[in-house]
Amino acid sequence: MHDFWGGIKSYSFEQLLALFSAADAYQSAANKDQYANLVMQAFTTNASVGAVLNMIYLKAEPWDWFASSFKPSSAALFQKIAKIVVEALEMNDIVSVTADTLTLVLQPISSSFVRAGHDRDSNMLGLKSVNQTWFVLHAEWWTADDDKTMHNSTRVIRDRIARGAKKQDLDVEYLLMKDTSYDQDIIRHYRAKNVEDWKKVWRYDLAMVF
């Protein structure tokens, strides 16, 4: 198993004939990229769905994630985020990279979600029982030659956003492990007691899952 890229694009049912034509042109090409393919689904009895094109490419672009967490706020913090991602000088470096993509990802987490764990005497991630937003900058690009530029530029933007949240007393000291970059200090955010509890489990973790 290795990294791959996948995407989904939806179309109205009125575009079905054009999709058939495009699929036929793709299939008729003598030399196709062996790493690329697609699956088209047309929902003939549900016009509200229309047609869906599933695309896959088995040679994934490089990518990087940077995670942050902060409390819900007035519009002030999001205005700052919007200003940063538009005006930051590092954005010039990002857009200069071939096939650059920088995506903002927001996931609201309810305090009730955390309390459910507390009620079961479980809080292995050290989450605070407050409403919070898990925020991610997701960067993608074309070649490994641009790894350093994309990583450093995205990290600077993420750090600037994190400082803005901290200045407004909105930061939450938690990083979702799967959304962090390789140089973010993940373990520190799970608190010392939790890490000690994890170590008790690791002795049984022969497959190194943890």
Side-chain angles (χ1 to χ4, degrees):
M1 180 62 71
H2 53 82
D3 293 337
F4 61 90
W5 177 91
I8 299 175
K9 191 171 177 61
S10 60
Y11 298 87
S12 68
F13 197 70
E14 289 74 21
Q15 296 173 291
L16 185 58
L17 288 179
L19 285 171
F20 282 159
S21 178
D24 185 62
Y26 170 77
Q27 182 63 13
S28 300
N31 296 309
K32 289 188 285 294
D33 190 330
Q34 63 179 325
Y35 296 102
N37 211 337
L38 58 85
V39 175
M40 185 174 66
Q41 299 166 285
F43 299 85
T44 56
T45 60
N46 192 340
S48 64
V49 178
V52 176
L53 191 66
N54 302 274
M55 299 165 286
I56 188 168
Y57 193 65
L58 297 179
K59 293 178 70 175
E61 300 173 348
W63 53 269
D64 207 348
W65 297 78
F66 284 90
S68 304
S69 296
F70 47 78
K71 302 171 190 173
S73 67
S74 63
L77 180 58
F78 288 108
Q79 288 173 354
K80 184 173 183 63
I81 291 173
K83 184 178 177 66
I84 288 172
V85 297
V86 170
E87 298 180 1
L89 294 176
E90 291 75 20
M91 290 300 299
N92 295 329
D93 296 325
I94 290 174
V95 298
S96 70
V97 167
T98 302
D100 68 280
T101 301
L102 182 63
T103 307
L104 311 184
V105 183
L106 296 125
Q107 181 179 2
I109 301 298
S110 170
S111 59
S112 61
F113 168 80
V114 181
R115 286 198 304 272
H118 290 179
D119 293 343
R120 293 170 174 79
D121 296 320
S122 175
N123 189 24
M124 290 293 287
L125 299 180
L127 290 167
K128 294 181 179 179
S129 184
V130 297
N131 288 330
Q132 55 196 273
T133 299
W134 293 352
F135 177 80
V136 176
L137 290 175
H138 177 204
E140 295 180 75
W141 57 100
W142 190 251
T143 67
D145 293 341
D146 294 314
D147 286 2
K148 185 175 181 180
T149 296
M150 290 296 289
H151 177 80
N152 290 342
S153 297
T154 308
R155 181 183 60 196
V156 169
I157 293 172
R158 179 268 171 193
D159 290 347
R160 195 169 293 153
I161 291 170
R163 287 195 301 271
K166 191 166 187 175
K167 187 175 181 179
Q168 297 182 37
D169 196 27
L170 296 171
D171 63 310
V172 175
E173 192 179 13
Y174 174 73
L175 298 177
L176 180 60
M177 185 178 292
K178 74 178 184 66
D179 288 346
T180 52
S181 190
Y182 58 83
D183 58 358
Q184 288 191 269
D185 188 357
I186 304 168
I187 300 300
R188 179 175 64 85
H189 291 268
Y190 293 111
R191 309 188 189 287
K193 182 183 182 304
N194 289 330
V195 174
E196 288 303 315
D197 289 340
W198 290 5
K199 290 179 179 178
K200 295 174 185 176
V201 178
W202 289 344
R203 72 184 70 176
Y204 306 105
D205 185 27
L206 302 181
M208 299 296 289
V209 175
F210 292 100

